Amino acid sequence: MNSNTSLHMILTDTLIDTVLPAIAQLNLPNWWLAGGAVRNTVWRSIFGEHCGLGIKDFDIAFFDIEGNRSQELTAKANLTEQFPLEQFDVKNQASFARWRLGHRPYTSTEDGITDWLHTATAVGVRLDAQGQWQFFTPYGLDDLFSGIIRPTPAHIHNIDAHNKASGFLEKCPYLRLG
C-alpha cells in the first residue's frame, strides 16, 4: 500500500472527509486543504487520545493572481455557515507577500505549501472534479506517519518553527524532533 493510500484511509470517515466536498464546491482555483487539520487528524489516528492535538482550524490554500480579500472572506463565510462549529482559514497564496511582510511572493498554491514551517504540515488533500482524492506531499509522508516534527528547508533556523514544535511536543508526547 502506498503512502497516499494510507493517508486516504486515515482521513476517510473523519471531519476532513465531511468538509472536503464543501470546499470543492467553492471552486477556488488550485485549492488544497493542508496544514494542521490534516497533520493532527493523522497524529490522533496514529497516537490515539493521549495525543492532545485536534483540528483547530481548516487551512485552505488557493492561488488566484487576480483574486482579492473578499474572495477569501466569502469562502470562509460559506464554509462557516455550513459548519458553524468549525474554524476556517482561507488564504490566497498569490497575495501572501502582501499580508505577510518580508516574505517572497509565491508562484502557485504548491509553492506556498512547500514553504510552510514543517514537513508534516506541508501536506495537502483535495477532491478533483470527479470527487477523487488528490494529494500534494512535497516532502513525502514519512515524517507525518512517524510523528517527526522537522522544519522544511527554508525554516531550519526559524524560531517560529522551533516554538511551534515545542507546542506540538507539549500536547502530544509521542512526537519527536527531526
Side-chain angles (χ1 to χ4, degrees):
M1 179 182 320
N2 73 33
S3 295
N4 288 347
T5 302
S6 296
L7 180 59
H8 182 234
M9 288 176 64
I10 290 170
L11 298 178
T12 298
D13 296 326
T14 67
L15 189 53
I16 287 176
D17 195 21
T18 303
V19 171
L20 271 183
I23 300 170
Q25 290 296 315
L26 297 173
N27 292 316
L28 294 169
N30 196 33
W31 69 273
W32 291 98
L33 170 64
V38 174
R39 179 197 64 226
N40 293 352
T41 299
V42 170
W43 284 348
R44 282 293 288 260
S45 172
I46 292 170
F47 300 114
E49 296 297 317
H50 298 291
C51 182
L53 293 167
I55 296 177
K56 181 183 88 176
D57 63 6
F58 291 86
D59 294 305
I60 302 154
F62 70 99
F63 193 87
D64 185 354
I65 201 73
E66 302 297 323
N68 58 46
R69 184 78 175 134
S70 68
Q71 193 176 18
E72 297 170 349
L73 297 173
T74 300
K76 180 178 178 175
N78 183 305
L79 291 168
T80 301
E81 183 177 315
Q82 293 179 65
F83 304 97
L85 300 178
E86 306 305 328
Q87 299 292 315
F88 296 92
D89 189 12
V90 183
K91 292 287 190 270
N92 184 356
Q93 302 300 291
S95 63
F96 185 81
R98 281 183 257 157
W99 50 266
R100 270 277 174 86
L101 298 177
H103 287 268
R104 68 176 177 82
Y106 294 135
T107 59
S108 67
T109 310
E110 294 81 4
D111 185 29
I113 292 171
T114 300
D115 192 45
W116 289 8
L117 290 179
H118 300 105
T119 57
T121 305
V123 173
V125 297
R126 68 179 175 195
L127 301 177
D128 66 15
Q130 291 73 40
Q132 299 297 307
W133 286 62
Q134 294 183 323
F135 305 92
F136 177 66
T137 59
Y139 303 104
L141 293 170
D142 290 346
D143 286 353
L144 179 63
F145 290 150
S146 300
I148 296 173
I149 309 166
R150 183 186 321 276
T152 58
H155 297 286
I156 289 173
H157 301 292
N158 184 333
I159 191 68
D160 291 336
H162 173 76
N163 291 340
K164 278 216 175 207
S166 296
F168 297 155
L169 289 168
E170 286 175 17
K171 292 179 180 174
C172 188
Y174 305 102
L175 303 175
R176 55 198 164 103
L177 299 175

